[in-house]
Amino acid sequence: MAVSHEVVLERSDRVETIDVPGTETVLDAAERAGIALPFGCLTGACATCVGRLLAGEVHHSRPPRALKDRHLEAGYVLLCIARPRAPCRIRVGADVQSGLVENPWK
């Protein structure tokens, strides 16, 4: 039986908590719980599903190609390939996405 961890997803307007088995990604567990999160490639290449780890630990099941080392050091994670290794708090939402990549059209 896979160990599950509690993952708290924080947005600017709400907080939601899900249980994520170690065999499942945060994105898949959120979808199973009826929580809609944006996603694109599902392979860690596009960063549409980016979140920012505030507490806890996750393991990316494959190299997160959309994140540079400085992004990983700042706590960014890709929810499509992230599996929790401990209870986690993860910030999600547009403000996280805009913090990762500055809009060149501003």
Side-chain angles (χ1 to χ4, degrees):
M1 181 172 186
V3 174
S4 288
H5 296 289
E6 184 178 275
V7 174
V8 177
L9 300 171
E10 294 184 7
R11 299 184 203 206
S12 59
D13 61 343
R14 65 182 176 266
V15 174
E16 297 163 303
T17 302
I18 56 175
D19 282 321
V20 185
T23 57
E24 195 170 33
T25 66
V26 174
L27 183 65
D28 286 342
E31 184 172 309
R32 183 174 42 78
I35 299 170
L37 296 175
F39 63 90
C41 69
L42 297 176
T43 65
C46 74
T48 302
C49 64
V50 71
R52 193 159 190 186
L53 187 65
L54 304 175
E57 180 184 354
V58 301
H59 170 73
H60 287 116
S61 58
R62 60 174 58 196
R65 292 181 293 161
L67 299 178
K68 300 183 181 313
D69 288 343
R70 63 184 160 89
H71 299 137
L72 294 168
E73 291 167 8
Y76 289 100
V77 295
L78 299 179
L79 303 180
C80 70
I81 58 171
R83 300 174 196 274
R85 293 270 173 97
C88 295
R89 269 187 329 117
I90 301 173
R91 178 90 180 155
V92 296
D95 58 327
V96 176
Q97 180 76 31
S98 64
L100 177 67
V101 180
E102 188 171 321
N103 183 342
W105 300 105
K106 285 185 186 177

